[in-house]
Amino acid sequence: MDLSATGDPFVTQADPQVHVGLDLQQGTVVLRQGGTDYAPHHALVEFASPEGRPWTAQEARFSAQGPDGEPVSLTVDLLNDACDGPRAGVPGVIWKVVALAATSAGDVGITYEPPTS
């Protein structure tokens, strides 16, 4: 490879939001809306840390196919109306998806070491 690189990377959080995408195994999650069941194949969870406060999950967006085969997007607001805590009534399985996304983001259990030359 004909490439050179210099520098000392530094990341800033100008926008204190992180979006974590997960590919879900078909059929492991079922969402029901308006009497129709949807089996999402992808979830996108949005985390935020406004004004240096602890990270919290704000929203989960699920991609699925409707009964007619057309793509469907379902959005779940995870914060209550005051934006100071979790929204009541969110099903437990959605919180499990959020926990998987947090793990994928490196909050728990994920470590990485660059390869040695």
Side-chain angles (χ1 to χ4, degrees):
M1 172 188 303
D2 187 20
L3 174 71
S4 65
T6 60
D8 193 13
F10 181 78
V11 177
T12 61
Q13 281 289 30
D15 181 9
Q17 293 185 339
V18 172
H19 295 87
V20 180
L22 298 172
D23 290 324
L24 302 172
Q25 185 173 338
Q26 193 73 24
T28 58
V29 175
V30 177
L31 304 175
R32 178 175 283 225
Q33 184 177 45
T36 302
D37 288 348
Y38 300 96
H41 54 83
H42 188 79
L44 183 66
V45 180
E46 179 181 297
F47 296 91
S49 175
E51 300 171 5
R53 291 186 295 201
W55 286 95
T56 186
Q58 293 189 131
E59 180 180 272
R61 280 177 261 157
F62 294 90
S63 299
Q65 283 188 329
D68 56 3
E70 291 296 314
V72 175
S73 179
L74 302 157
T75 301
V76 179
D77 290 324
L78 300 170
L79 289 177
N80 62 24
D81 292 337
C83 293
D84 63 359
R87 181 173 299 280
V90 174
V93 70
I94 292 177
W95 291 117
K96 288 180 182 179
V97 170
V98 170
L100 285 171
T103 301
S104 294
D107 287 348
V108 204
I110 293 178
T111 58
Y112 174 77
E113 290 183 30
T116 56
S117 325

